[in-house]
Amino acid sequence: MASQALTTISLTSLPKLSQGKVRDLFSLPGNRTLLFVTSDRISAYDVILKNGIASKGQILTLLSAKWFEILSSRIPDLKHHFITLTPPPAPGVVTPDEQRMLRGRSMVVRRLKIFPIEAIVRGYVTGGAWLEYEENQTIHGLRLPAGLQRCQQLPQPIYTPSTKAELGEKDINISPAEARAIVGDKYATRIEELALACYRAGAAYAEERGIIIADTKFEVGLDEKTDEIYLVDEVLTPDSSRFWSKEDYQVGRDQDSLDKQVLRNWLTANGLKGKPDVEMPPEVVEKTRDRYLEVYERLTGQTLEAALKALEE
């Protein structure tokens, strides 16, 4: 049986800078790095659910760390914000109890300026993109070939950004041209190229393990001193991506996703989409957790328990 979900992150040793839907950000001594802590909170349709998913923060953190390693090996000169899973590098910064609480759910990361967009890449037409395509044969305003079916692979992956909303507000789908207006000509092409390269490399790795990455969203930061672009935040997790089993994939119908689509489906079926103060029933919690664990194990080749044990060695 899973342990209790950790939905509130309380650290007395470090100043909290911000709290997002899932992650809390703390300042570390020296002002050059941050402690990035992932709770067990879960959101859907931009709303945080009242209860969380036990171990979810550890799944997302350890999977992201694995992806930073994989993508770095497949994309020359890739820069990312991840430094270490060991919280934090200086002795005595957090208490022993806090260290135990943070095990497997925290990353020490570089402090960067974050661009105010979500760099979404789609390899398949599904979800809200399918609804737009059905109506207009476009996705985020981009014209696509006629005759595509639900969940069909696109001729090539496309960059379909959105705004990055403040907590409590909703992201808005925008065109690449609108994203360029937000981030500026100097960085727009570099962000798009990075997002597409990361998607292609990640999708190829996942396919080798029987997983289709239908779409995903990345976040990107800037080192203002060097003017270099960095991949930041979580990467290719079941919170930020749609994962399908390659074995079960079939064009023309919705897929049985290995991500939080279980939760989205339950909310929609019960008329709760986008409503606040919703509590998931135990069966939805467990089914969602099972999907997260399955995709974690298939992508990393090890159990969560083994990964957490390795952190103690």
mmCIF file of all heavy atoms in Angstrom, residues 61-81:
data_model
loop_
_atom_site.group_PDB
_atom_site.id
_atom_site.type_symbol
_atom_site.label_atom_id
_atom_site.label_comp_id
_atom_site.label_asym_id
_atom_site.label_seq_id
_atom_site.Cartn_x
_atom_site.Cartn_y
_atom_site.Cartn_z
ATOM 1 N N THR A 61 10.431 13.532 -10.289
ATOM 2 C CA THR A 61 11.795 14.026 -10.096
ATOM 3 C C THR A 61 12.824 13.049 -10.656
ATOM 4 O O THR A 61 13.727 13.429 -11.412
ATOM 5 C CB THR A 61 12.064 14.272 -8.608
ATOM 6 O OG1 THR A 61 11.156 15.256 -8.125
ATOM 7 C CG2 THR A 61 13.493 14.752 -8.375
ATOM 8 N N LEU A 62 12.698 11.779 -10.292
ATOM 9 C CA LEU A 62 13.691 10.794 -10.722
ATOM 10 C C LEU A 62 13.591 10.516 -12.217
ATOM 11 O O LEU A 62 14.611 10.272 -12.880
ATOM 12 C CB LEU A 62 13.527 9.508 -9.909
ATOM 13 C CG LEU A 62 13.798 9.662 -8.405
ATOM 14 C CD1 LEU A 62 13.519 8.355 -7.673
ATOM 15 C CD2 LEU A 62 15.224 10.121 -8.156
ATOM 16 N N LEU A 63 12.384 10.567 -12.762
ATOM 17 C CA LEU A 63 12.242 10.390 -14.206
ATOM 18 C C LEU A 63 12.847 11.578 -14.948
ATOM 19 O O LEU A 63 13.545 11.403 -15.958
ATOM 20 C CB LEU A 63 10.770 10.221 -14.578
ATOM 21 C CG LEU A 63 10.472 9.962 -16.062
ATOM 22 C CD1 LEU A 63 11.235 8.750 -16.586
ATOM 23 C CD2 LEU A 63 8.973 9.768 -16.285
ATOM 24 N N SER A 64 12.618 12.791 -14.463
ATOM 25 C CA SER A 64 13.219 13.972 -15.093
ATOM 26 C C SER A 64 14.740 13.887 -15.058
ATOM 27 O O SER A 64 15.412 14.191 -16.055
ATOM 28 C CB SER A 64 12.754 15.253 -14.392
ATOM 29 O OG SER A 64 11.388 15.508 -14.635
ATOM 30 N N ALA A 65 15.303 13.472 -13.920
ATOM 31 C CA ALA A 65 16.760 13.347 -13.814
ATOM 32 C C ALA A 65 17.297 12.350 -14.836
ATOM 33 O O ALA A 65 18.344 12.576 -15.457
ATOM 34 C CB ALA A 65 17.146 12.924 -12.400
ATOM 35 N N LYS A 66 16.559 11.253 -15.027
ATOM 36 C CA LYS A 66 16.959 10.268 -16.029
ATOM 37 C C LYS A 66 16.905 10.867 -17.431
ATOM 38 O O LYS A 66 17.814 10.656 -18.250
ATOM 39 C CB LYS A 66 16.044 9.050 -15.937
ATOM 40 C CG LYS A 66 16.358 7.937 -16.930
ATOM 41 C CD LYS A 66 17.688 7.275 -16.625
ATOM 42 C CE LYS A 66 17.927 6.071 -17.531
ATOM 43 N NZ LYS A 66 19.253 5.450 -17.274
ATOM 44 N N TRP A 67 15.872 11.626 -17.704
ATOM 45 C CA TRP A 67 15.741 12.235 -19.024
ATOM 46 C C TRP A 67 16.843 13.256 -19.297
ATOM 47 O O TRP A 67 17.336 13.365 -20.432
ATOM 48 C CB TRP A 67 14.375 12.892 -19.171
ATOM 49 C CG TRP A 67 13.277 11.974 -19.590
ATOM 50 C CD1 TRP A 67 12.130 11.687 -18.906
ATOM 51 C CD2 TRP A 67 13.187 11.226 -20.817
ATOM 52 N NE1 TRP A 67 11.343 10.810 -19.618
ATOM 53 C CE2 TRP A 67 11.961 10.509 -20.793
ATOM 54 C CE3 TRP A 67 14.017 11.089 -21.929
ATOM 55 C CZ2 TRP A 67 11.562 9.684 -21.835
ATOM 56 C CZ3 TRP A 67 13.615 10.266 -22.972
ATOM 57 C CH2 TRP A 67 12.414 9.571 -22.920
ATOM 58 N N PHE A 68 17.233 14.037 -18.282
ATOM 59 C CA PHE A 68 18.328 14.981 -18.496
ATOM 60 C C PHE A 68 19.588 14.231 -18.924
ATOM 61 O O PHE A 68 20.329 14.683 -19.807
ATOM 62 C CB PHE A 68 18.593 15.792 -17.222
ATOM 63 C CG PHE A 68 17.584 16.877 -16.953
ATOM 64 C CD1 PHE A 68 16.892 16.930 -15.752
ATOM 65 C CD2 PHE A 68 17.331 17.860 -17.903
ATOM 66 C CE1 PHE A 68 15.959 17.925 -15.503
ATOM 67 C CE2 PHE A 68 16.398 18.870 -17.665
ATOM 68 C CZ PHE A 68 15.720 18.904 -16.462
ATOM 69 N N GLU A 69 19.826 13.081 -18.322
ATOM 70 C CA GLU A 69 20.975 12.250 -18.682
ATOM 71 C C GLU A 69 20.844 11.718 -20.112
ATOM 72 O O GLU A 69 21.789 11.781 -20.912
ATOM 73 C CB GLU A 69 21.078 11.083 -17.687
ATOM 74 C CG GLU A 69 22.147 10.067 -17.998
ATOM 75 C CD GLU A 69 22.049 8.848 -17.085
ATOM 76 O OE1 GLU A 69 21.567 8.989 -15.939
ATOM 77 O OE2 GLU A 69 22.440 7.754 -17.529
ATOM 78 N N ILE A 70 19.666 11.190 -20.444
ATOM 79 C CA ILE A 70 19.450 10.610 -21.779
ATOM 80 C C ILE A 70 19.563 11.674 -22.866
ATOM 81 O O ILE A 70 20.256 11.492 -23.881
ATOM 82 C CB ILE A 70 18.065 9.940 -21.849
ATOM 83 C CG1 ILE A 70 18.013 8.726 -20.927
ATOM 84 C CG2 ILE A 70 17.717 9.543 -23.286
ATOM 85 C CD1 ILE A 70 16.603 8.263 -20.611
ATOM 86 N N LEU A 71 18.884 12.789 -22.678
ATOM 87 C CA LEU A 71 18.882 13.830 -23.706
ATOM 88 C C LEU A 71 20.276 14.424 -23.894
ATOM 89 O O LEU A 71 20.674 14.749 -25.019
ATOM 90 C CB LEU A 71 17.878 14.919 -23.353
ATOM 91 C CG LEU A 71 16.408 14.489 -23.325
ATOM 92 C CD1 LEU A 71 15.515 15.661 -22.946
ATOM 93 C CD2 LEU A 71 15.964 13.905 -24.671
ATOM 94 N N SER A 72 21.019 14.566 -22.808
ATOM 95 C CA SER A 72 22.381 15.093 -22.913
ATOM 96 C C SER A 72 23.266 14.180 -23.746
ATOM 97 O O SER A 72 24.160 14.644 -24.458
ATOM 98 C CB SER A 72 22.995 15.274 -21.519
ATOM 99 O OG SER A 72 22.325 16.288 -20.801
ATOM 100 N N SER A 73 23.000 12.868 -23.673
ATOM 101 C CA SER A 73 23.809 11.917 -24.444
ATOM 102 C C SER A 73 23.414 11.882 -25.916
ATOM 103 O O SER A 73 24.195 11.414 -26.751
ATOM 104 C CB SER A 73 23.671 10.513 -23.842
ATOM 105 O OG SER A 73 22.378 9.962 -24.095
ATOM 106 N N ARG A 74 22.218 12.372 -26.242
ATOM 107 C CA ARG A 74 21.704 12.288 -27.616
ATOM 108 C C ARG A 74 21.651 13.621 -28.346
ATOM 109 O O ARG A 74 21.467 13.646 -29.567
ATOM 110 C CB ARG A 74 20.306 11.659 -27.606
ATOM 111 C CG ARG A 74 20.313 10.215 -27.100
ATOM 112 C CD ARG A 74 18.979 9.534 -27.270
ATOM 113 N NE ARG A 74 19.061 8.119 -26.888
ATOM 114 C CZ ARG A 74 18.339 7.151 -27.437
ATOM 115 N NH1 ARG A 74 17.469 7.434 -28.390
ATOM 116 N NH2 ARG A 74 18.474 5.909 -27.043
ATOM 117 N N ILE A 75 21.771 14.728 -27.607
ATOM 118 C CA ILE A 75 21.707 16.053 -28.228
ATOM 119 C C ILE A 75 23.011 16.794 -27.926
ATOM 120 O O ILE A 75 23.243 17.196 -26.781
ATOM 121 C CB ILE A 75 20.508 16.870 -27.701
ATOM 122 C CG1 ILE A 75 19.202 16.113 -27.949
ATOM 123 C CG2 ILE A 75 20.463 18.243 -28.355
ATOM 124 C CD1 ILE A 75 17.994 16.780 -27.329
ATOM 125 N N PRO A 76 23.859 16.961 -28.913
ATOM 126 C CA PRO A 76 25.134 17.651 -28.674
ATOM 127 C C PRO A 76 24.913 19.065 -28.123
ATOM 128 O O PRO A 76 24.020 19.785 -28.567
ATOM 129 C CB PRO A 76 25.764 17.706 -30.074
ATOM 130 C CG PRO A 76 25.107 16.599 -30.837
ATOM 131 C CD PRO A 76 23.706 16.509 -30.304
ATOM 132 N N ASP A 77 25.718 19.404 -27.140
ATOM 133 C CA ASP A 77 25.722 20.766 -26.574
ATOM 134 C C ASP A 77 24.436 21.140 -25.840
ATOM 135 O O ASP A 77 24.192 22.321 -25.573
ATOM 136 C CB ASP A 77 26.005 21.814 -27.662
ATOM 137 C CG ASP A 77 27.318 21.558 -28.387
ATOM 138 O OD1 ASP A 77 28.285 21.167 -27.704
ATOM 139 O OD2 ASP A 77 27.363 21.735 -29.610
ATOM 140 N N LEU A 78 23.592 20.155 -25.505
ATOM 141 C CA LEU A 78 22.391 20.470 -24.724
ATOM 142 C C LEU A 78 22.790 21.012 -23.358
ATOM 143 O O LEU A 78 23.643 20.448 -22.673
ATOM 144 C CB LEU A 78 21.530 19.218 -24.529
ATOM 145 C CG LEU A 78 20.321 19.391 -23.592
ATOM 146 C CD1 LEU A 78 19.268 20.285 -24.237
ATOM 147 C CD2 LEU A 78 19.728 18.039 -23.216
ATOM 148 N N LYS A 79 22.144 22.087 -22.951
ATOM 149 C CA LYS A 79 22.353 22.639 -21.614
ATOM 150 C C LYS A 79 21.049 22.530 -20.843
ATOM 151 O O LYS A 79 19.977 22.796 -21.378
ATOM 152 C CB LYS A 79 22.817 24.099 -21.686
ATOM 153 C CG LYS A 79 24.183 24.253 -22.354
ATOM 154 C CD LYS A 79 24.677 25.666 -22.286
ATOM 155 C CE LYS A 79 26.040 25.785 -22.971
ATOM 156 N NZ LYS A 79 27.061 24.912 -22.323
ATOM 157 N N HIS A 80 21.145 22.115 -19.568
ATOM 158 C CA HIS A 80 19.950 21.999 -18.727
ATOM 159 C C HIS A 80 20.263 22.481 -17.318
ATOM 160 O O HIS A 80 21.428 22.626 -16.933
ATOM 161 C CB HIS A 80 19.438 20.555 -18.722
ATOM 162 C CG HIS A 80 20.443 19.540 -18.261
ATOM 163 N ND1 HIS A 80 20.809 19.416 -16.937
ATOM 164 C CD2 HIS A 80 21.159 18.610 -18.951
ATOM 165 C CE1 HIS A 80 21.694 18.441 -16.824
ATOM 166 N NE2 HIS A 80 21.939 17.943 -18.024
ATOM 167 N N HIS A 81 19.212 22.700 -16.555
ATOM 168 C CA HIS A 81 19.390 23.314 -15.235
ATOM 169 C C HIS A 81 19.747 22.328 -14.132
ATOM 170 O O HIS A 81 20.161 22.727 -13.038
ATOM 171 C CB HIS A 81 18.132 24.101 -14.843
ATOM 172 C CG HIS A 81 16.961 23.251 -14.431
ATOM 173 N ND1 HIS A 81 15.923 23.753 -13.657
ATOM 174 C CD2 HIS A 81 16.649 21.941 -14.663
ATOM 175 C CE1 HIS A 81 15.035 22.799 -13.452
ATOM 176 N NE2 HIS A 81 15.452 21.693 -14.048
#
